[in-house]
Amino acid sequence: MDRIDTVKVPKSLPRPAAAADVAKVLAVICSRRPRKDLPLDRLRDRVLFETAYVCGARASEVCGLYIEDLDLRLDDEHVRIHGKGGSVRTVLLDDRGYVTLLKLYLARAGYTAGPLFRASINGRGGPGA
C-alpha cells in the first residue's frame, strides 16, 4: 500500500474589523470632537476603546495602562504596552486626532500619574476596578 502525505492546513490570522465599522461603534460612545459638557466617563470610554483599536492591544493590556506608560512629546508620541508573559512593546501613536482626544481626556480628568483608566464611581479605582 502506498503512503499518503499528510495535508498541512495553513493557519489563518484573525482579520481586523473594517475601519468604517469601528468608526461607527466609536461614534456611538461619543464624537472625536466631544462637547465640553460630555461626562468624563463617556470620554474615558471613547479613549479606552480607541486605545485598544489604535494600539492593537488586548483588553487586559489597555486596562493595565498607566499614565507613566505614555510619552506624548510632540512628534514622538508613543505608548509602552505590557503584554502577556511580561513582554513590553512600544506602539507609535501617529493618529493626531487620537492623540488630541487622549490629551483632552487627561486634562479633563486631571490625571498626572497612576492608572490611565479609572473607575467612574470614585475616579480612584485602578486597573480592573
Side-chain angles (χ1 to χ4, degrees):
M1 176 175 242
D2 292 331
R3 190 161 196 214
I4 300 174
D5 292 332
T6 347
V7 175
K8 294 184 182 178
V9 178
K11 287 186 177 181
S12 61
L13 295 174
R15 294 180 181 207
D21 293 339
V22 173
K24 287 178 189 174
V25 170
L26 293 174
V28 169
I29 299 170
C30 79
S31 162
R32 225 187 199 194
R33 294 184 180 193
R35 298 182 326 267
K36 291 183 180 181
D37 62 343
L38 180 75
L40 183 61
D41 61 339
R42 295 272 303 276
L43 181 60
R44 177 205 60 209
D45 292 350
R46 168 69 190 235
V47 173
L48 185 143
F49 282 99
E50 195 159 348
T51 299
Y53 179 68
V54 167
C55 296
R58 295 175 174 89
S60 61
E61 294 171 340
V62 174
C63 291
L65 284 176
Y66 280 75
I67 294 169
E68 293 81 2
D69 295 325
L70 299 171
D71 187 341
L72 299 177
R73 288 178 290 170
L74 186 62
D75 293 331
D76 189 30
E77 296 95 345
H78 62 272
V79 61
R80 284 179 312 280
I81 297 181
H82 303 270
K84 291 171 66 174
S87 67
V88 178
R89 67 184 185 279
T90 302
V91 177
L92 179 65
L93 302 175
D94 60 352
D95 183 335
R96 289 272 173 233
Y98 166 72
V99 171
T100 301
L101 192 66
L102 178 60
K103 287 179 179 179
L104 174 67
Y105 167 67
L106 291 171
R108 290 235 358 243
Y111 299 154
T112 56
L116 181 58
F117 302 109
R118 304 174 191 196
S120 59
I121 295 172
N122 60 17
R124 294 188 309 254

